[in-house]
Amino acid sequence: MNILCVADIFGRPGRQAAKAWLPGLIREHAVEFTIVNWENAAGGRGVTPEVADELFELPAEVFTSGNHIWQHQSLGPYLDRPRVLRPHNAPVGRPGRGFGIYRTRSGIPVGVMNLQGRTFMYEEKLLANPFPLAKAKVEEMRATTPIILLDFHAEVTSEKRAMGWWLDGLASAVVGTHTHIQTADEEILPGGTAYITDLGMTGPHASVLGMRAQDAIKRFLTNGAERRWKPAEDGVRLEGLLITVDNSTGRAQAVRRIKHSASNV
Ligand SMILES: [Fe+2]
Ligand SMILES: [Fe+2]
């Protein structure tokens, strides 16, 4: 089957892009299962209940997240919704869960997990080591299904590459999120695990990672003293990775980067 992993939705431009283009991409590529990272969907930071209600209308089975998911405390109860994941290795005591077994419309089970990296990351000292957790949970889920996806929300390429190799042959895909810049290193590792260091961003790319360039520049010029910023608006793209998986073995058979803009329509 074909599986689509959609990169971090950023602000209103990202939400509009997902609403406008996701249904067509799913039809065009005969996608049977879709995961969407929504950690930046509300103004570029986190998710509010209103934004969650809006995005629940998307044709996606699972919403994954990352460090920004703790931005709005009001989201609390939404983290217990079955379609919503936050990093499995989140600090102790946080609401929500980091993995689940879902089903395609035709009933095929798919395991999905969300983890956060620890190198140059927020709250890194509060996060459990994602590597042993990843292997234990994937092995547990493999008792139910060989089709397993990991959204690994991490900053550095080395930590993401290491996770890909660590789960090679155990997961169908390890996709990186968080840096908002799509990497051109999609591949299928020798054991059959689809891998990309970063899916990119579903949002305004005439920006610095989604924020207005002038705001980001001011932050650097002031050595971080000026931290106010607004989401950018232009250069909107929906980005992600399309993965073809063998349903009986869970092995990836093909990968294709998605970089969809208005000019593709
Ligand atoms: Fe993000
Ligand atoms: Fe992030």
Side-chain angles (χ1 to χ4, degrees):
M1 74 164 118
N2 287 338
I3 293 169
L4 180 60
C5 303
V6 177
D8 301 26
I9 292 182
F10 194 100
R12 187 185 301 272
R15 301 200 305 271
Q16 287 173 341
K19 281 188 272 187
W21 298 327
L22 191 53
L25 286 167
I26 287 172
R27 266 196 312 277
E28 180 189 342
H29 299 290
V31 172
E32 291 186 51
F33 194 84
T34 303
I35 68 171
V36 171
N37 189 306
W38 69 352
E39 72 144 5
N40 306 102
R45 279 184 178 157
V47 182
T48 59
E50 296 73 26
V51 162
D53 285 333
E54 181 187 330
L55 293 182
F56 280 148
E57 301 297 316
L58 287 175
E61 276 70 25
V62 184
F63 295 91
T64 56
S65 60
N67 54 296
H68 282 298
I69 202 63
W70 313 112
Q71 185 78 27
H72 301 280
Q73 274 200 8
S74 55
L75 188 68
Y78 282 71
L79 290 167
D80 292 324
R81 301 281 186 98
R83 287 164 84 193
V84 177
L85 296 182
R86 48 73 165 161
H88 178 42
N89 59 336
V92 171
R94 299 280 167 89
R97 75 180 73 75
F99 61 91
I101 300 221
Y102 301 87
R103 282 182 189 276
T104 65
R105 244 166 279 165
S106 61
I108 301 166
V110 179
V112 183
M113 185 174 24
N114 194 187
L115 282 165
Q116 191 171 321
R118 299 197 298 178
T119 310
F120 301 147
M121 263 307 227
Y122 304 86
E123 300 191 302
E124 56 193 43
K125 295 206 166 52
L126 297 177
L127 304 174
N129 188 330
F131 285 83
L133 283 177
K135 187 161 271 188
K137 189 52 69 180
V138 167
E139 282 172 348
E140 183 188 310
M141 290 199 284
R142 282 180 70 85
T144 307
T145 178
I147 307 171
I148 294 165
L149 315 172
L150 169 62
D151 173 344
F152 190 36
H153 197 78
E155 178 72 33
V156 296
T157 50
S158 58
E159 196 174 9
K160 293 176 175 182
R161 295 281 306 165
M163 183 62 83
W165 285 103
W166 176 237
L167 295 185
D168 183 28
L170 293 173
S172 303
V174 173
V175 297
T177 57
H178 177 69
T179 68
H180 294 191
I181 300 295
Q182 188 179 75
T183 53
D185 64 339
E186 76 279 14
E187 66 174 315
I188 297 171
L189 298 172
T193 298
Y195 174 83
I196 188 168
T197 296
D198 207 279
L199 293 174
M201 176 177 71
T202 297
H205 283 265
S207 71
V208 175
L209 313 185
M211 67 182 109
R212 296 190 308 182
Q214 65 265 40
D215 298 340
I217 291 166
K218 201 176 279 178
R219 180 185 294 197
F220 286 107
L221 281 174
T222 61
N223 292 308
E226 175 57 72
R227 298 187 65 84
R228 285 174 294 184
W229 59 270
K230 286 190 173 146
E233 293 178 359
D234 298 331
V236 177
R237 289 199 296 270
L238 185 159
E239 295 187 337
L241 190 69
L242 181 68
I243 305 153
T244 305
V245 170
D246 180 310
N247 290 356
S248 58
T249 64
R251 288 174 72 103
Q253 298 170 311
V255 282
R256 177 175 163 182
R257 269 184 293 131
I258 299 292
K259 213 175 173 91
H260 191 89
S261 65
S263 60
N264 297 123
V265 177

